[in-house]
Amino acid sequence: MTHTFKSDSRRGRNVFSLNGPWEITPSDDANSPRQYPYRISVPSVVDCAEPPYNWQSAAFHWYRTTFRLDVTHEKLVFLKIGQSQFGTDVWMNGIHVGRSISCYTSHEYEIRQFLLSAGKENEVVVRVGTKENLPTESAVGEDREKSIYTPGIWGDVMLVVSGNPRLSGVQIIPDIHRGSAEVRMTVENRRDTPCSVTVTAQSFEKKKGREASHPVQVNCTVPAFGSASVSATVIMADPHLWSPDSPFLYEMLTSVHSGSEMCDEVKTTFGLREFKIEGKSFLLNGGKIVLKGGNIAFHRFLADKERALLPWDRSWIKRALIDIPKRHHFNFFRNHLGQLYPLWYDIADEEGMLIQNEWHFWGTTGSREQIRREFNDWLKDNWNHPSIVIWDPLNESTNDFVQNEIVPEMKKIDPTRPWESVDFVEEHPYIYSLGPVLNEGPFGFTRPILDIEHSQRPVVLNEFLWWWVDNAGQPTSLMEGVVQRWLGRTWTPQLLLEHQSFLVRELIELFRRMDVSAIQPFVYLSNNDGPTANWFQGPIAELQPKPLLAAIGQAYAPFGISIELWDRHFTGGEQRTIRVFVFNDTRRKAAGTLHWGFKDATGAVLSDQSEKLSLDAHEHRIVEIHPLFPQKPGRYTLQAELQSESVSETSIKPVHVFPELRVPAPFHVATMGLSEETRGFLASSGIECMPFPGEPNNKFQVLVVGEGQSRMRVFASLRSAVSEFVRGGGSIVLLEPEFGVDHTEFFVIEDDVQIEIKKREDRDKGGYDSYVFMEDSSHPIWEGIAQEHLFLFNGALGGEIISQHDVMLKSPHAVMARCGLNLGVVALAEAPLGSGRVLVSRLQTRGRLGSNRDSESLFDRRRDPVARQYLVNLLWYASNGQNNKRTFSFDEIQDKSAS
């Protein structure tokens, strides 16, 4: 199809789109092909060709189209390509007119001298290559989780016709306090003689076209084959600010006149808005704003096999970027690792969505000169979008040149936006999933959780939720071991989605309680077949949200609520002081009624108390409640509900109420190194304790060794006596033998039972564990304890149950409970020794056996009914082992870690 265009000489600039059907063909030859048997839509990428061809085996892809252009000889004509990858060469009527190795920024070519006369058909040929064949100076960047890089012309292609001099750049710097805009213009002269011109700027309301300011004129002289920078300040008559709630847009008309002749004119869309950092907050137009949203991995999405032409379809983009997110209280996205197609930014401007614009650097590539050039072009392509509020040059990486040289240069060019990794540092807390529930030390690409809470700069959590499920409900490749860690071995696709929704609410509520500046789970849109999938189920064209989007919408409620409660286990009738956080993230006062109380397993309301609240704009308030827990043992929920007008937001926490401790009958145990807390608990429970005498004694059948004491000198001095005791039919229970181990230790009870303890590094995954899974729920040790009771103990950071160690028995043994990634961590094991047994228990009962208390610290250990019952059950089983059921045959079951 040949495009036919006629330039209107009365206008300063004519722009003609070359988007649409082109011809295309693959080749390994660098020379122009003779035939183009395939068709493709521009913009797109080469896998959209019809009929499809094996594009991955080709070194080059040749695009071809034709056009006729009726234009006067004195006009300038440029071919502009919005974006193309990877490496672009352009021919006009068989003559090579230029090349570009940029993949994410626009590039243009002056083609006037290569055009045929009016009425004749001109041929444009564009060749793109592959990522592997880019030169080393390319700033294409890296994505360590992407393997398919599809070439193509993925931006708009157009002809730009103007007179000389022309406007080669327009930048608008809004000033909301004066209601004005500074218009910075670059006037370019493509002729061999200087030229004196008048530059005019005037603003209009974009929707209605009404004049918004008087015209402002500036005179300047542009040197031969050179350029001049001029600026003008335009004052709005009735200024309207741009925000997500009110995305009011202006259009700046800038023109260049030489005498009475109009040489060029450009219309530039912009908004009056200010985005900056003040202390630890982001301010939009002078008011605090909490950024809540997600991530769009556009270039990963280009590898989605169902993607087709959706990334370039306006109606689909609007649904994906605006309609669905705004229904779920989103106001913010990060485009992850690379530019979006520019129409996405246009729609964000028009509909009101904030954007963190990230370059494709997960580790830098390219020469300093090329990085500088492409970053300049990156800003120039995007600096007038009010929706873009943050520049982001690096993902999970550092680079001295980029951060210390390039970013300061760019901040001078565009002073209106902060830069990630210079003005603030994003955090990626993949906790409660790949990592532990909460992190007390550095973890992957994030600081300790308490450091984040007390940060003096804005905290942007734009990646978390390592819980990725594809559109068929299956875990992605990066979920290896993670599902089992939190759901055990018997998970289902339905459980995956339910846990994803539970987890995202837990984490978002946590981060809102911490008053962080931006919250963005990962990843809203990406490649369904990739390592992180996306948040939609079924065909991506239909954009059917997974259940977690509803959960996110509830957690993001602008007038929202969250219960701060990590404990799960309570005794009947006890009373606690619990904090309820109420958030008003709006710009106006908000009022409502706070209700709280318990519901039973059927959903029936057992108690309901209420309090009226009124919060100022941007106010976050903590309300202390003092609920009395139900007397009857069972599973309940503590629910807080915030009712305002017709909206109701809730926060729900699971609660387990337990009966009094059950001790089958009084019995005796010998002890070694037990803490005062444990001895007191056992004594109060009717279990008589006596020091291990070091010689046979018929009064007891169990030796209990306190946390970490099995490695101490006292134990070593009595090792032979301990061995004789166990071989004679006694049981030894080692409580947390890993306690206090900082590296690797190896100790021997005797040759038949050897234990290695190793502190794991776990820098990027793992850590301690808060979920423990029984191997056999009918075992006597679990009497009165259900599986869900082993999900978080009371107190400790994130309900920690098992420490960050591997404890490996180097002899045959039965594993009775597991935890960790792939359930590869032993939590409770039993090994035979003569006629007796060795029980290695890693479940942390310390700090959870004593009297109940309301601690000032959220993560102090507190009395836990499950930990108490577990210890009694463990010792009873050890004391009565010959009469209790054995879950496994030692000959049949051996822990894999022993090998």
Side-chain angles (χ1 to χ4, degrees), residues 634-646:
R635 190 187 194 284
Y636 301 90
T637 57
L638 175 62
Q639 179 167 314
E641 184 176 8
L642 183 62
Q643 295 178 347
S644 60
E645 298 176 348
S646 60

Side-chain angles (χ1 to χ4, degrees), residues 665-679:
F667 61 97
H668 300 79
V669 297
T671 66
M672 187 184 298
L674 281 194
S675 67
E676 182 180 345
E677 175 199 13
T678 305
R679 287 198 312 271

Side-chain angles (χ1 to χ4, degrees), residues 340-358:
L340 300 168
Y341 171 56
L343 180 57
W344 291 66
Y345 302 117
D346 294 339
I347 294 173
D349 293 344
E350 295 162 6
E351 303 292 339
M353 185 62 68
L354 302 173
I355 304 288
Q356 177 175 338
N357 199 1
E358 183 175 86

Side-chain angles (χ1 to χ4, degrees), residues 271-547:
L272 281 180
R273 70 108 184 91
E274 177 186 74
F275 188 86
K276 66 179 185 178
I277 293 172
E278 188 173 285
K280 60 184 297 184
S281 300
F282 290 119
L283 301 187
L284 176 66
N285 298 333
K288 179 181 176 180
I289 183 169
V290 178
L291 304 175
K292 294 175 286 192
N295 294 261
I296 296 172
F298 181 86
H299 288 266
R300 291 183 183 178
F301 185 54
L302 292 185
D304 193 300
K305 64 183 180 182
E306 294 185 0
R307 169 259 311 149
L309 294 174
L310 295 175
W312 300 276
D313 182 281
R314 173 178 273 273
S315 62
W316 186 89
I317 295 170
K318 183 175 179 294
R319 287 173 57 214
L321 180 65
I322 303 297
D323 298 343
I324 294 172
K326 284 205 168 189
R327 283 204 303 270
H328 296 91
H329 303 304
F330 285 40
N331 60 11
F332 185 50
F333 276 106
R334 174 179 66 146
N335 52 270
H336 177 57
L337 288 176
Q339 275 286 108
L340 300 168
Y341 171 56
L343 180 57
W344 291 66
Y345 302 117
D346 294 339
I347 294 173
D349 293 344
E350 295 162 6
E351 303 292 339
M353 185 62 68
L354 302 173
I355 304 288
Q356 177 175 338
N357 199 1
E358 183 175 86
W359 189 257
H360 207 301
F361 273 171
W362 191 0
T364 55
T365 65
S367 67
R368 293 186 169 202
E369 294 76 14
Q370 188 66 21
I371 292 172
R372 178 176 281 110
R373 181 181 302 115
E374 292 198 32
F375 271 48
N376 270 279
D377 291 342
W378 178 35
L379 266 62
K380 183 177 177 181
D381 284 346
N382 298 285
W383 56 26
N384 292 316
H385 287 292
S387 58
I388 296 176
V389 292
I390 296 170
W391 299 115
D392 186 349
L394 300 164
N395 172 65
E396 291 191 356
S397 54
T398 59
N399 182 278
D400 287 342
F401 171 67
V402 170
Q403 292 167 286
N404 298 331
E405 294 186 39
I406 289 295
V407 170
E409 290 178 21
M410 299 300 109
K411 288 171 74 73
K412 292 178 181 177
I413 295 171
D414 174 24
T416 69
R417 298 170 174 92
W419 284 75
E420 190 280 319
S421 78
V422 174
D423 297 311
F424 67 91
V425 178
E426 63 194 12
E427 313 270 353
H428 296 171
Y430 281 112
I431 53 177
Y432 214 161
S433 48
L434 179 69
V437 174
L438 298 172
N439 61 305
E440 59 184 333
F443 173 74
F445 198 79
T446 191
R447 292 175 291 166
I449 199 78
L450 296 179
D451 288 2
I452 290 174
E453 184 171 15
H454 298 107
S455 176
Q456 297 305 303
R457 294 200 296 175
V459 173
V460 174
L461 306 180
N462 57 21
E463 286 192 34
F464 61 92
L465 192 67
W466 194 291
W467 198 266
W468 295 310
V469 184
D470 67 18
N471 63 359
Q474 296 300 311
T476 69
S477 59
L478 284 180
M479 289 293 290
E480 176 65 31
V482 176
V483 173
Q484 294 89 337
R485 182 184 199 180
W486 305 103
L487 297 183
R489 296 191 182 97
T490 58
W491 58 270
T492 64
Q494 181 64 29
L495 281 176
L496 281 181
L497 293 175
E498 289 176 1
H499 188 77
Q500 188 181 47
S501 297
F502 159 79
L503 184 57
V504 79
R505 281 208 69 171
E506 285 288 288
L507 291 173
I508 290 175
E509 285 192 29
L510 165 67
F511 298 144
R512 291 192 77 178
R513 295 196 301 267
M514 292 166 57
D515 271 342
V516 301
S517 307
I519 305 174
Q520 297 166 276
F522 199 84
V523 58
Y524 175 79
L525 183 64
S526 186
N527 177 11
N528 176 67
D529 301 315
T532 57
N534 56 54
W535 293 347
F536 298 95
Q537 52 194 351
I540 192 62
E542 297 176 7
L543 290 173
Q544 302 175 38
K546 288 175 180 168

